[in-house]
Amino acid sequence: DGGITQSPKYLFRKEGQNVTLSCEQNLNHDAMYWYRQDPGQGLRLIYYSQIVNDFQKGDIAEGYSVSREKKESFPLTVTSAQKNPTAFYLCASSIVAENEQFFGPGTRLTVL
Amino acid sequence: QKEVEQNSGPLSVPEGAIASLNCTYSDRGSQSFFWYRQYSGKSPELIMSIYSNGDKEDGRFTAQLNKASQYVSLLIRDSQPSDSATYLCAAPGHNAGNNRKLIWGLGTSLAVNP
C-alpha cells in the first residue's frame, strides 16, 4: 500500500530538548512538506523540499530544521530554540510542487 | 502576498440539505484548486481537484471554478452528519523563481444536524 507514515503519533518532550519527527513516503513523490497546526487554526508551512538534497524555509521555520537525504524521507527536528512547540505536526508529499498534496496521519507533540 | 480566503463559519445545515462552501483567491495565475476535508484531530484528506472553469462532480460533491471572478466553491448534496468537518481550500502560489507551494485557506467548519 502506498502512503505516508509519520511516527510517533504522540510525543512528549521536556523543555530544552530537541526532538525529531519522522516522515516516510513510498509514493515516489518528489516534493515533501512539513506543516504545523495549532488548535482551531489553519496550516502553517514550516519547511518544504522539492527534490532530494534541497529544501526551503516556509513561513515559520525558526526553531526547526530538516534534511532530505533520501527521496522517501523528510525528518523534522524541533529544537530547543522553538519557543512554543506544542502543536499538531503534519507531513505531506506531492508528485511535484503545486500539485495536490497527500498527508500523513500527523504527530501530536506536547512539551511538558 | 498570494492569498486564499474562506468564510470560517461555522456553517450549519440540516441533514439532507445542500451545503455550499466558498473560497476566493488572489493569484490570477493559479491553474489548479484543491478541496480537503479535515475531521477534528485528524489530518486533511483530498476530496476534489479542479483545473478548468465550470463544474466537476464526484458523487455527492461538486466543485465549481470561476476563474474570471477568482472563486471556487464546493457543494455537498444530501449532506450527512458524517460530512461535519472543516473544509480547506488550497491553490498554488504562482511565485517567480523556484518558490512553488500551495497557499491554504483557514478552512470553513461545517456542521450537519440530524
Side-chain angles (χ1 to χ4, degrees):
Chain A
D1 268 343
I4 303 172
T5 58
Q6 291 186 245
S7 61
K9 186 174 182 179
Y10 297 97
L11 187 57
F12 297 89
R13 179 196 108 173
K14 292 182 180 179
E15 276 193 34
Q17 290 180 336
N18 292 356
V19 63
T20 298
L21 281 58
S22 170
C23 177
E24 303 277 334
Q25 54 99 359
N26 61 4
L27 301 169
N28 200 32
H29 286 175
D30 281 325
M32 297 187 74
Y33 312 82
W34 274 105
Y35 293 93
R36 168 181 173 143
Q37 189 173 41
D38 294 283
Q41 303 297 312
L43 299 175
R44 292 191 288 169
L45 183 65
I46 304 172
Y47 269 99
Y48 62 111
S49 168
Q50 297 182 85
I51 198 167
V52 176
N53 293 321
D54 187 41
F55 49 83
Q56 290 81 37
K57 292 182 179 180
D59 302 316
I60 56 165
E62 185 175 351
Y64 299 97
S65 65
V66 293
S67 62
R68 186 85 187 278
E69 298 175 0
K70 298 187 300 181
K71 188 175 186 177
E72 303 79 18
S73 179
F74 192 40
L76 173 74
T77 297
V78 184
T79 75
S80 56
Q82 170 50 234
K83 297 305 179 189
N84 187 20
T86 295
F88 188 37
Y89 289 87
L90 290 158
C91 179
S93 70
S94 61
I95 295 175
V96 293
E98 295 190 339
N99 277 40
E100 54 263 89
Q101 295 177 11
F102 297 90
F103 286 82
T107 292
R108 199 166 295 278
L109 173 64
T110 302
V111 174
L112 304 173
Chain B
Q1 177 73 14
K2 307 298 189 289
E3 291 183 347
V4 172
E5 296 187 352
Q6 299 180 251
N7 188 329
S8 62
L11 174 65
S12 183
V13 300
E15 184 174 355
I18 296 175
S20 178
L21 305 161
N22 299 311
C23 172
T24 60
Y25 60 94
S26 63
D27 187 352
R28 286 193 173 273
S30 294
Q31 297 295 317
S32 51
F33 303 87
F34 310 108
W35 282 102
Y36 288 77
R37 177 177 62 200
Q38 185 176 24
Y39 292 116
S40 179
K42 302 295 186 182
S43 60
E45 171 193 12
L46 179 69
I47 54 173
M48 290 285 279
S49 304
I50 186 165
Y51 303 95
S52 53
N53 271 334
D55 295 358
K56 178 183 178 182
E57 187 174 316
D58 183 1
R60 296 186 295 111
F61 297 98
T62 299
Q64 299 176 319
L65 175 58
N66 184 322
K67 290 186 178 181
S69 300
Q70 294 180 244
Y71 81 78
V72 56
S73 61
L74 180 70
L75 301 179
I76 306 174
R77 291 183 301 280
D78 188 24
S79 295
Q80 301 297 308
S82 60
D83 295 325
S84 299
T86 296
Y87 290 80
L88 304 171
C89 174
H94 192 72
N95 297 316
N98 201 29
N99 189 18
R100 301 182 295 166
K101 57 186 179 180
L102 290 185
I103 308 299
W104 294 85
L106 295 180
T108 298
S109 175
L110 172 66
V112 180
N113 305 308

